[in-house]
Amino acid sequence: MARKKAWVPLSGVKGIRYYEHEDRKYRGRPDRYYAVRWSRQGKVKEEGIGWASQGWVAADLITMRNQLQQNYKQGETPTTFKGLMEQREKKRRAAKAAEEEETLRAMTFRQFFEEHFIPWKRDRKKRRSWTDDVKRANHRILPFLGELPLNAITPELLHEFMDAMYEDGLSDGTVLHHMAVIRQTYNRAAVTTVDGNVVFTGLSPIASVELPKLSDNCNARERYLTKEEADLILRTCRKNSENAPRSTAKASWLDMHDAILLSLTTGLRMGEIQRLEWSDINFYGKTLVVRKSTSRKPGGTIPLNSSAMTMLKDRKTRKERAALVFPPVFGGKKRENFSHLFKDVVDSLGLNDDATSESQRIVFHSLRHTFASWLAIAGVDIYRIKSLMRHKTLAMTQRYAHLIPDDSREAVELLSVSND
């Protein structure tokens, strides 16, 4: 004959009791099964809850019972432990799904490329194809885009990536090969699911990028800002910061202003500005250091003019606790991309209204091109420009040589011959 369960009241707590299983152990003691009693409209009701080994503890039962009593008095639901547990489980599943989706939205280009794209392509393509993709990614794509979430990469940023490749002297065909890898990665992300969620939704950023044609010979960015246009952009950013309704928006616009000024006066790329730390700034020597990296562009020491020094000193006062010169406005470890705000400014001022090709459009990378162009116009020799731009070869700097004023006209005038 089966032994009758010996129910024991929980010490000091009315309405909660348990019995212990003889053979079932939990943490070295007999496992406890809990039940709760209460009275509704003169009738006593009891619900079995669960085992201690399932995570149930007396404190949770007391909290839940108090909540049920409150719900009953206020005419709200649920009014049973079963209903409350179902409600909590529903919320738990919803929270877990939201967390999984948020994690998915934060998946970086590098993570998807290495964990999903390459394994998929390796199983379906010839070895030469996927190994070439890995080489292109490791050498250029991942250092430039790898740490950004897939949904944070914009068409403007991809345009800057192409500019950087042309700046390094790459051909149209090579640029297209790299952009093809990016396109394929996004196409695959749009049909890849993790825990039932699609990795990337929406329009691929590369769909809005004007890619070079193999017949084109002038893909390098041509347009640079005039002094008046640069001043207008800076004034607009400061005005937007002053008129912004929220502190985060004010900070974003002020950061945009300072980043533009820094790029115009040093030639720093957007990624270099975003990675810049206060330890890289030498206020006494009026220089900053772009750190060398095997996976990024060449580093070097850059002189700072008075405009850059004044701006950085002001930022130091406001951001003294941050390691980054441009720390994230909205928290987190990474500085948000400047492309969106810069495009908003340029579009609002109509600076790209007359552009008929990608090379004529003003993007953030145009600031670096402007820096070199202004140096050339001011008469700085090509070797000094190469050093300040940190170009690997002189050929990369030669594109600015035609802007350097020379004395050719004055020289030939010396050879004037009488026409009498």
Side-chain angles (χ1 to χ4, degrees):
M1 182 176 179
R3 184 178 176 181
K4 188 177 180 180
K5 299 174 183 176
W7 286 96
V8 180
L10 189 64
S11 177
V13 181
K14 185 179 179 180
I16 299 179
R17 62 178 187 163
Y18 65 90
Y19 74 84
E20 295 183 339
H21 198 287
E22 294 180 346
D23 303 321
R24 183 169 176 162
K25 301 294 182 182
Y26 175 63
R27 294 182 176 177
R29 301 175 58 183
D31 201 358
R32 290 182 175 184
Y33 184 85
Y34 292 99
V36 181
R37 286 183 174 183
W38 69 90
S39 171
R40 295 281 168 82
Q41 297 179 342
K43 295 181 179 180
V44 177
K45 296 186 178 182
E46 184 173 42
E47 278 191 72
I49 305 303
W51 296 93
S53 58
Q54 295 174 326
W56 289 105
V57 295
D60 287 341
L61 298 177
I62 296 170
T63 300
M64 292 174 70
R65 186 184 62 178
N66 292 341
Q67 182 179 345
L68 291 173
Q69 289 174 339
Q70 185 177 358
N71 287 353
Y72 179 70
K73 291 178 181 179
Q74 296 177 352
E76 298 177 355
T77 57
T79 58
T80 66
F81 271 88
K82 180 180 179 182
L84 187 57
M85 287 187 287
E86 289 176 349
Q87 183 187 70
R88 287 191 170 188
E89 177 61 20
K90 184 178 180 180
K91 289 182 178 179
R92 187 195 65 80
R93 289 197 298 266
K96 182 180 179 182
E99 182 180 356
E100 291 174 348
E101 185 175 356
E102 181 64 24
T103 301
L104 211 57
R105 297 287 81 81
M107 182 179 290
T108 64
F109 188 96
R110 179 188 299 275
Q111 184 180 354
F112 180 80
F113 182 84
E114 294 177 347
E115 297 179 7
H116 299 276
F117 177 74
I118 287 302
W120 167 80
K121 194 166 187 181
R122 185 173 54 220
D123 293 340
R124 290 162 177 78
K125 301 288 183 179
K126 295 180 181 180
R127 177 175 174 81
R128 174 70 181 274
S129 177
W130 69 263
T131 53
D132 285 349
D133 287 351
V134 170
K135 290 177 182 177
R136 293 185 181 106
N138 288 339
H139 186 55
R140 293 186 182 275
I141 299 174
L142 296 183
F144 198 95
L145 304 171
E147 309 315 317
L148 290 172
L150 286 167
N151 61 359
I153 296 173
T154 63
E156 293 76 29
L157 190 60
L158 294 181
H159 281 135
E160 294 191 23
F161 177 55
M162 288 198 301
D163 282 342
M165 287 191 284
Y166 281 122
E167 189 177 273
D168 283 352
L170 271 61
S171 67
D172 292 338
T174 302
V175 170
L176 282 172
H177 282 312
H178 284 78
M179 300 306 287
V181 174
I182 296 173
R183 177 193 287 109
Q184 292 171 20
T185 301
Y186 272 97
N187 288 346
R188 188 61 198 164
V191 295
T192 299
T193 59
V194 176
D195 296 325
N197 295 311
V198 178
V199 172
F200 179 79
T201 57
L203 183 66
S204 168
I206 203 168
S208 302
V209 174
E210 182 182 343
L211 296 175
K213 298 177 177 59
L214 291 179
S215 58
D216 291 345
N217 293 318
C218 300
N219 289 288
R221 193 160 298 281
E222 300 171 355
R223 174 101 181 271
Y224 59 88
L225 295 171
T226 65
K227 292 290 181 67
E228 292 74 19
E229 288 172 333
D231 288 341
L232 181 59
I233 291 174
L234 289 169
R235 288 199 307 271
T236 302
C237 289
R238 185 167 290 279
K239 181 179 178 181
N240 289 345
S241 175
E242 293 171 351
N243 296 335
R246 297 186 305 275
S247 58
T248 51
K250 290 179 182 292
S252 293
W253 280 111
L254 189 55
D255 283 357
M256 182 82 268
H257 169 278
D258 293 351
I260 292 171
L261 189 149
L262 189 60
S263 184
L264 285 171
T265 56
T266 63
L268 262 64
R269 304 171 177 89
M270 179 166 60
E272 294 168 341
I273 292 174
Q274 291 171 324
R275 293 189 294 271
L276 190 65
E277 298 184 6
W278 286 115
S279 58
D280 300 325
I281 310 294
N282 184 337
F283 285 101
Y284 182 77
K286 299 182 180 180
T287 60
L288 67 78
V289 173
V290 179
R291 301 182 187 184
K292 294 181 180 179
S293 173
T294 56
S295 61
R296 295 185 178 129
K297 303 293 182 181
T301 300
I302 308 296
L304 296 169
N305 68 10
S306 58
S307 297
M309 285 290 294
T310 299
M311 178 273 291
L312 288 169
K313 287 179 179 178
D314 288 343
R315 289 193 67 83
K316 182 65 174 176
T317 302
R318 301 193 308 269
K319 308 286 187 179
E320 57 184 356
R321 293 186 178 182
L324 290 172
V325 177
F326 291 86
V329 171
F330 299 101
K333 296 181 179 179
K334 292 185 175 61
R335 164 77 236 188
E336 57 269 16
N337 196 280
F338 290 121
S339 294
H340 285 302
L341 282 181
F342 189 83
K343 183 177 185 299
D344 289 344
V345 174
V346 173
D347 288 349
S348 70
L349 297 176
L351 296 182
N352 283 329
D353 289 353
D354 297 328
T356 58
S357 68
E358 177 55 34
S359 63
Q360 296 174 349
R361 292 182 60 80
I362 294 295
V363 297
F364 194 90
H365 196 76
S366 302
L367 303 176
R368 175 173 165 82
H369 181 51
T370 298
F371 168 75
S373 300
W374 286 359
L375 289 175
I377 292 171
V380 178
D381 70 81
I382 200 72
Y383 294 97
R384 185 68 59 83
I385 296 175
K386 174 182 179 296
S387 174
L388 291 170
M389 291 288 283
R390 291 166 289 120
H391 282 158
K392 295 178 181 178
T393 66
L394 186 61
M396 296 165 63
T397 318
Q398 286 292 344
R399 59 185 292 198
Y400 303 104
H402 71 285
L403 297 173
I404 300 176
D406 60 38
D407 299 325
S408 299
R409 183 171 300 279
E410 290 77 1
V412 296
E413 288 295 339
L414 295 173
L415 306 178
S416 299
V417 177
S418 176
N419 200 28
D420 293 339

